[in-house]
Each structure stands twice: as structure tokens, then as C-alpha cells.
Amino acid sequence: MSTRYMKKVYGGDEAIEKECVTSDNENPITGGVRRKQFNVFALLNQHSESEAKEDDDCETSTAAGVLSEEAKRKKKKKKRKKSESSKVHRTTRRSSEDNEEVDEIERTVREINKLLGEPVPNSSRKDPENSGLALQRSKENVLTIQHKNLNPYNELKRIFGSKTIQAEQSKRRGRGRQGHLKKTWLISARENWPPIGKSGLSMSLDQSMEREEGIQYFVYEHNTSYRQTQMKFLQAVESLNPDNIVTIINAHPYHVDALLQLAELCKLSEDLAMAAELTERALYCLECAFHPLFNVTTANCRLDYKKQQNRALYLTLFKHLIFVGGRACYRTSLEFCKMLLSLDPNDDPLAVILAIDFYALRAREYTWFVEFCKVWESARNLSQLPNIAYSLALASFHLGTGQLADELLQNAITMFPSFLVPLLDKCGVQTDSRVMGSDFFNSHAKSTTPPALEKLEALYVARSYHLWKEADILPWLERNVNEVLNKVESGDEFVKYCEGKRTTRYQGKLPKNILRHIILSDIKEVTVDIQEVHNQGPVLSHDPLPPADSIDFYSRLRVTARPNQSNSNLFSLFFSSLFTDFEEDVVAAAANGFNLFENEMENAGNAAVAQEAARADLRRTVANLLQEVGNLLSIRAPDGINDADADEDTDIDPTID
């Protein structure tokens, strides 16, 4: 038993005198010093002495106790002085060692910061280089995402409840197999998918790009087996036979371009569930090939869109976020928009900036969207886009900024007046008589709005008109429209400034990235005309409008001549328009193939009836085709057989004639 415990039980040295008076048995004292070793069991064998002896012993012990206390105090003082001096020495020595360690750590941190592009501590805030780095970090920080927000099932749980979604997931798991699918972040792989094995896709660091501080460039790579499959796919596209696409998917279930092409067929037949699943499978294959350093959440990873093999990830992400947004998972779509923009934020090859505002407002991320516009305004001139101008005002209104929201909305209306009337018509709101009678929102707006700007406004109205149908939004819009009309009638200089800016800045054709955005968005109210894509490059489903300086890993697709297009049937003409470029002769041949003008019908009503009949025939043809596709996909290869595991020395010719 420890001495500390004994002191606690018997009161320590200071309770000795008290023990002599109250206790029948006492601790033996020898020479004025208490014994260090105390036997508890000796108390059981001690016999009581006479009272006189007890008194004498108590006096002796008291005197000895006083002497021992004085001696102990002196010893404690000496020990305390020694311990304090040694403690000071140890503290000074330790502090010097700690300072050396801190200096070494600071030097190491500074070296790492220099490599990573971080600012050096205690640096001047007025240094333009450091301010530029801080701005770059803020741009990247606003595009960072979290893994949990990439899963649409997490958002569906918040909407419909966790029990409903878990029951659906468990039901789906019961129909499939388990244990062969890789865990991924972007896609929740389905159990009925075949094992991916070695898909032939991989990713490496792109050494051809100039290195930037804190930025890493990557590039996809195709092995020999995947190259041969890609050649077969290009030949299938050139043949205009969709059965060849299905054959490729049956033999190689994770060929990305073939999956995207078949998803387009399912989308045309309005089988959106199958189209979404095929797109998810393509994205699953692309994610399984990610480089270990390719972190989608940091916004520091880049993919060069000019390289042909990189464009599959862009297209797949864009199509996937459209499908996810169609399921009302707007927060998930916003995260995919941020990811897609972070791959190339400066060029934005798919113009995701035209859709990011819609998903941000739908997800009620008003604060984030305002911060995003503030950070990227200097680099992208976001306020010059009609969708950003109106959405920023709407986000400020939801945040309750009041006067600022009014000012932003009035500026947007003054800059883009042709937006108002189509928006009110789309919302089903009866237009005010003052607005209808004002030339500023009608003929004058149409005459001063270039066609390119008019298409951007039509795209925003078709996509985002639901945001303006809320009960408290329309009165706010009406009040600010009247304020703008007051400024117009008073001859405000800002109105003239916006008019001159509008008529000069938006001239010319739409850029390629906006044309790609319109094609991939597939909004019925907004389409791309043949004149807009003339001489812009092929409009292929798996690679629409490639860049002029494209770095092609494979040879460009050469469309074979169609010697007798006028006699082509509806089926071949449909796939001609699906797989090949838009050409005027194809359109004319399609018109003859639909038999719209054989009888030279001059009645517009009869022509409309004929066109509707042709469309019905087209839908029946596609439906029959997809039924056959479903039957073929249901017959899968055995699980142990994979396309990339087969011998690469096949008899496939890797060249295209």
C-alpha cells in the first residue's frame, strides 16, 4: 500500500498530535523521527499501556513532532530552491530547443508554400503577386465541392425521407448481384451492371501543358484494346447502322462513346430512364479510370478540351447533370456544374455558366451564387450575360437585400429589355397595359437586340421561367418594370448607354461553346439553325462541334457518300441526321423521304398533317429499334468474360479506309 494512501487514511504528519489524544493505539516514534515503514497489522497485536505512560509518550511525541516539522520545513525549502533553479534551467534549455524546432518547421512550411503557390506568412498585402494568388485561391475555393453532395440519393432522402429511398435501394439490391462493383463517388453503381474489369481507359499527368502554381493537368489514355474498339465504333457511326452500335456494347459493355450514342437513341424514344442509366454507366467507367491525384473536390484539376480523348468526360458530366436535374436533385446538379466548370474555368468549353445560375437558385444556394458572381466577375464578365444579370438580382431579392436587389433588377431590365415580354407570356401572366403600349419593351427592344443575344435570352426564359412564377416575385418585378419605364420616359443617360452597349457587343455568331451547350441541353424552344453551325465542324452526338485546334487521337470521321439520298427510306435518313453533320442536301433529302411534297400540297394545314404523320412514323421506327436493343442488352456475356481481358492480338484492322 502506498505512502500517499496511508497519509490520506491517517491524516498525514500534521495529525500525529491529534492521534495521540484520540487514538488508543499510536504509531511508534524513534529518535524524533517517524518510521517510514508502517505495518498496519501491528496495530492488532499492540496492547494498551497505562495512562501515565500514554501521557509521557504523547508529550515526547509532540516535542519530537515539532522538531521533525521544523527539520522538514528546512528540507522542503532547500528542495524547492533546487527544483526551481533546475526548472528554470530546463525551461530555458527547452525553450531554446523549441525555438530551433519552430524555426525549422517555419522554414519547411515556407518551402512547401512556395511549391504550392501559397503566400508567404507576414507578406505585404499590397504585393500584386500575392493578391493575384489570393484571388486565384478564392476562385478555386468557390468551386470546391463535397463528396456527399455528388450523390443524388442523399438529396432524395432529404426530399422524400430516408425510409422511402432506403426501401427502393434495398429492393434494387435484391434483384442484382453484390461484391463485384467498385466504390465510386460520382455514381452509385447498380448491381445489375457487368463487372468493369480492365476497361482499357486510364489517366495520367499531362506533361504537354504548362505548369501553373497549384494546378495539375491530366489526360485520358486508351490502351490497344480500347483503341481497336474505338475504331470499330467510328466505323459503326460511318455505316449509319445502329445495330453495329448495339453489337459493340454487347461485346464491350463499358465503351463510353457507344454508351452515349445509345443513350441518345433512348432519349429520342422518350425512354429517359434507360438513357440516364447508360449515361451513368459511361460516367462510372470514366471515374474508375481516374488518376490517384485527380481529386474532383479541390477544383485544382484540369482537362484540356482540345485533346479528343478528354472530351468524353465533359460530355458525360453535362448529360448526367441534366438527367439528375430532371429528378429535382438541383443541389446535386449544381455540384456537377461546379465540377464541370473547374475542369476548364477560363474557356468553359460547354458553357456551363449558362446553367449554373438556374441550379443554384433552384437549390436555394443564394449566398454561394452571389459570392461566385463576385469572385468571377473580373475574369469572365458575368454581368454581361442575361441569365447571370437576372439571376443575381433574384438571388439578392431572396437574401432580403432590398434596395440592392431593386437596383440589380432595374439594371438587368434596362440592359436586356427583350427578356420581359417572353417571360410574362411563358409564365401565363397578363401583361400590363403600360408595358404593352411601351415601345421600349416591344419593337425597339427587338430592333436593338442582336440574334445571338436574343437566343441567349430565349434559352434563359425556357429554362428558368419557373423561378419567376412565385407569388412574391411578380409584384416585385412589376414595381421595378414601372421604375425602368419612368427612367425611359425621363430620358435617363443610362438607358442610352445600355442601348449602345447592347447593339455593339453581341454582334456576330454564337461561340462554339454556347452552340454545344444548346445542342446538349436539347430544349425544344431553343434550337441550333443550320446557318449557325455551317463551317463550324461536324455535329456528332458523341463529339459535337470539336475545336478548330483539336488534337485528334483518332482520324476524323469521313461520311461515306450517299449516292441515292432522294430515294433513302425514313430509317436511314433518321440515322443520317443522328450520326452525321447537318447538311442542306440531307435536309432536302429528308423532306423528300418524308413524302411531304410529292403531291405539291399548297395548303399549310395539309402539310402540317403530313409532317405529323411523318413524325409518328419516325417514333414508331425508333420504338421498334429500341425494343430490339433491349432484347439484345438483356443477353449479356458470362461474368468471367471481359472485353479487355481477351487477347489484344485480334484480327481487327485498326485503320479506317
Side-chain angles (χ1 to χ4, degrees):
M1 190 175 291
S2 63
T3 306
R4 183 181 300 172
Y5 183 77
M6 295 299 299
K7 287 182 179 181
K8 185 176 181 181
V9 173
Y10 293 99
D13 296 332
E14 298 177 358
I16 294 175
E17 184 177 356
K18 186 177 181 180
E19 288 177 6
C20 292
V21 178
T22 58
S23 176
D24 294 336
N25 301 323
E26 61 181 3
N27 296 336
I29 304 295
T30 306
V33 179
R34 187 183 177 189
R35 292 180 183 177
K36 293 183 179 179
Q37 293 182 353
F38 181 78
N39 189 1
V40 179
F41 298 99
L43 296 175
L44 301 176
N45 298 324
Q46 267 188 336
H47 299 284
S48 59
E49 302 288 341
S50 61
E51 295 179 359
K53 188 175 181 179
E54 287 178 358
D55 295 336
D56 294 337
D57 290 340
C58 284
E59 291 176 359
T60 305
S61 63
T62 302
V66 172
L67 294 175
S68 63
E69 284 296 326
E70 292 178 356
K72 285 183 179 181
R73 286 196 190 98
K74 292 180 180 180
K75 285 184 179 181
K76 286 182 179 180
K77 287 182 180 179
K78 291 181 180 180
K79 288 182 180 179
R80 188 176 300 167
K81 289 181 180 179
K82 290 182 180 180
S83 62
E84 287 178 356
S85 61
S86 61
K87 187 183 294 184
V88 170
H89 179 67
R90 286 197 303 270
T91 304
T92 54
R93 185 176 61 185
R94 188 178 302 166
S95 62
S96 62
E97 293 177 356
D98 292 343
N99 290 333
E100 292 178 359
E101 292 179 358
V102 170
D103 294 339
E104 184 66 24
I105 291 173
E106 285 184 356
R107 284 195 296 269
T108 306
V109 170
R110 289 178 182 177
E111 292 177 0
I112 294 174
N113 287 339
K114 289 180 181 179
L115 294 175
L116 297 177
E118 298 289 339
V120 180
N122 300 327
S123 60
S124 176
R125 294 183 179 180
K126 297 182 180 180
D127 189 356
E129 183 178 355
N130 292 332
S131 63
L133 291 174
L135 180 61
Q136 180 66 25
R137 286 198 310 276
S138 62
K139 289 179 180 178
E140 294 165 359
N141 292 336
V142 80
L143 293 178
T144 55
I145 57 180
Q146 297 179 354
H147 280 136
K148 65 178 183 179
N149 294 328
L150 293 172
N151 190 351
Y153 288 103
N154 293 335
E155 189 169 3
L156 289 174
K157 288 178 183 178
R158 293 194 295 268
I159 298 173
F160 300 104
S162 58
K163 293 183 179 180
T164 304
I165 303 303
Q166 289 175 358
E168 179 64 23
Q169 287 180 334
S170 62
K171 181 179 178 181
R172 183 176 296 174
R173 290 192 191 100
R175 295 195 299 262
R177 302 186 311 273
Q178 297 181 0
H180 67 274
L181 294 175
K182 183 178 178 180
K183 176 66 175 177
T184 54
W185 290 108
L186 303 182
I187 290 298
S188 298
R190 307 189 183 189
E191 285 77 6
N192 59 343
W193 290 355
I196 187 169
K198 298 179 180 179
S199 64
L201 278 176
S202 61
M203 182 184 284
S204 62
L205 291 170
D206 193 352
Q207 304 296 338
S208 63
M209 302 298 295
E210 296 182 3
R211 293 189 177 182
E212 302 178 15
E213 294 184 354
I215 303 298
Q216 289 182 316
Y217 283 86
F218 297 86
V219 61
Y220 273 101
E221 293 181 350
H222 300 169
N223 66 1
T224 305
S225 175
Y226 198 91
R227 291 182 188 180
Q228 293 176 351
T229 308
Q230 184 71 14
M231 290 296 184
K232 292 172 63 178
F233 168 76
L234 295 176
Q235 290 176 352
V237 171
E238 188 178 1
S239 67
L240 308 179
N241 188 356
D243 292 337
N244 295 334
I245 303 293
V246 178
T247 303
I248 292 173
I249 293 179
N250 285 330
H252 312 280
Y254 286 100
H255 186 266
V256 176
D257 288 341
L259 289 170
L260 294 179
Q261 194 77 50
L262 188 58
E264 286 298 317
L265 289 173
C266 296
K267 189 176 178 181
L268 287 172
S269 67
E270 299 182 357
D271 189 358
L272 299 181
M274 179 59 69
E277 182 178 350
L278 292 172
T279 305
E280 289 177 2
R281 191 193 294 187
L283 185 56
Y284 173 70
C285 177
L286 291 167
E287 185 181 2
C288 289
F290 279 176
H291 191 274
L293 298 178
F294 189 81
N295 189 352
V296 297
T297 63
T298 59
N300 294 326
C301 301
R302 303 284 188 268
L303 282 179
D304 188 8
Y305 192 80
K306 293 193 297 292
K307 293 181 172 60
Q308 188 181 22
Q309 61 271 32
N310 287 342
R311 294 200 280 266
L313 181 62
Y314 282 89
L315 299 174
T316 308
L317 284 174
F318 192 93
K319 294 181 178 182
H320 177 64
L321 72 90
I322 294 294
F323 284 123
V324 171
R327 299 166 61 186
C329 298
Y330 301 114
R331 179 60 189 273
T332 307
S333 293
L334 174 62
E335 299 302 310
F336 278 105
C337 284
K338 290 157 63 175
M339 176 184 171
L340 192 56
L341 185 60
S342 67
L343 296 179
D344 193 352
N346 295 322
D347 294 334
D348 192 10
L350 298 186
V352 72
I353 196 67
L354 299 178
I356 196 170
D357 61 302
F358 168 73
Y359 292 112
L361 295 182
R362 272 297 196 180
R364 303 184 184 276
E365 292 292 323
Y366 308 123
T367 305
W368 175 88
F369 181 67
V370 172
E371 181 67 20
F372 169 77
C373 294
K374 184 187 303 182
V375 171
W376 282 93
E377 170 63 26
S378 59
R380 296 290 303 272
N381 293 324
L382 298 182
S383 60
Q384 305 303 314
L385 295 172
N387 64 303
I388 297 295
Y390 279 97
S391 295
L392 183 59
L394 196 57
S396 301
F397 174 78
H398 284 294
L399 291 175
T401 55
Q403 185 176 358
L404 177 60
D406 294 343
E407 182 180 353
L408 290 173
L409 182 58
Q410 292 174 19
N411 293 340
I413 295 173
T414 307
M415 186 65 195
F416 309 105
S418 58
F419 160 82
L420 182 62
V421 176
L423 174 65
L424 296 177
D425 293 340
K426 191 70 175 177
C427 293
V429 178
Q430 185 177 2
T431 309
D432 186 73
S433 59
R434 188 184 182 192
V435 175
M436 291 300 296
S438 175
D439 186 56
F440 180 75
F441 290 112
N442 293 282
S443 60
H444 183 73
K446 292 181 180 179
S447 62
T448 58
T449 302
L453 179 57
E454 187 177 354
K455 181 151 290 189
L456 288 179
E457 293 177 348
L459 179 66
Y460 178 68
V461 171
R463 174 178 283 150
S464 305
Y465 72 95
H466 292 287
L467 300 172
W468 297 87
K469 295 178 67 174
E470 298 181 12
D472 54 344
I473 298 296
L474 290 176
W476 171 64
L477 176 62
E478 181 182 3
R479 176 167 53 84
N480 285 279
V481 167
N482 289 323
E483 291 293 333
V484 172
L485 285 176
N486 294 336
K487 293 180 181 180
V488 172
E489 294 173 357
S490 63
D492 195 334
E493 291 295 331
F494 183 70
V495 177
K496 298 179 180 178
Y497 168 76
C498 291
E499 179 181 344
K501 192 175 181 181
R502 186 169 62 250
T503 54
T504 55
R505 282 200 173 186
Y506 301 93
Q507 298 295 333
K509 294 184 178 180
L510 285 171
K512 271 190 175 182
N513 60 341
I514 296 180
L515 292 175
R516 294 190 199 108
H517 181 92
I518 295 174
I519 293 171
L520 294 173
S521 297
D522 194 19
I523 298 176
K524 295 180 180 180
E525 292 84 355
V526 185
T527 58
V528 174
D529 299 332
I530 297 175
Q531 292 79 9
E532 292 176 332
V533 297
H534 186 61
N535 296 328
Q536 294 284 345
V539 187
L540 300 171
S541 178
H542 64 280
D543 188 10
L545 299 176
D549 55 350
S550 175
I551 303 174
D552 293 339
F553 195 71
Y554 300 93
S555 59
R556 286 288 183 90
L557 179 67
R558 292 185 294 105
V559 181
T560 55
R562 292 177 294 276
N564 193 14
Q565 287 182 342
S566 60
N567 295 326
S568 300
N569 58 16
L570 177 65
F571 191 75
S572 62
L573 286 172
F574 164 69
F575 285 103
S576 298
S577 63
L578 179 64
F579 291 151
T580 62
D581 192 5
F582 291 108
E583 299 175 1
E584 294 182 3
D585 57 342
V586 174
V587 176
N592 290 332
F594 289 156
N595 297 322
L596 298 180
F597 307 109
E598 282 188 356
N599 298 327
E600 298 181 356
M601 293 181 297
E602 298 179 357
N603 191 328
N606 294 335
V609 172
Q611 290 179 0
E612 185 61 30
R615 292 192 187 97
D617 190 11
L618 177 61
R619 286 193 292 268
R620 285 193 299 271
T621 304
V622 175
N624 294 333
L625 171 66
L626 291 176
Q627 185 177 1
E628 295 297 330
V629 169
N631 295 334
L632 290 173
L633 288 178
S634 62
I635 306 174
R636 293 186 291 109
D639 295 340
I641 300 175
N642 193 22
D643 54 282
D645 296 334
D647 189 7
E648 294 180 353
D649 297 330
T650 59
D651 56 351
I652 300 177
D653 187 6
T655 60
I656 299 179
D657 297 333

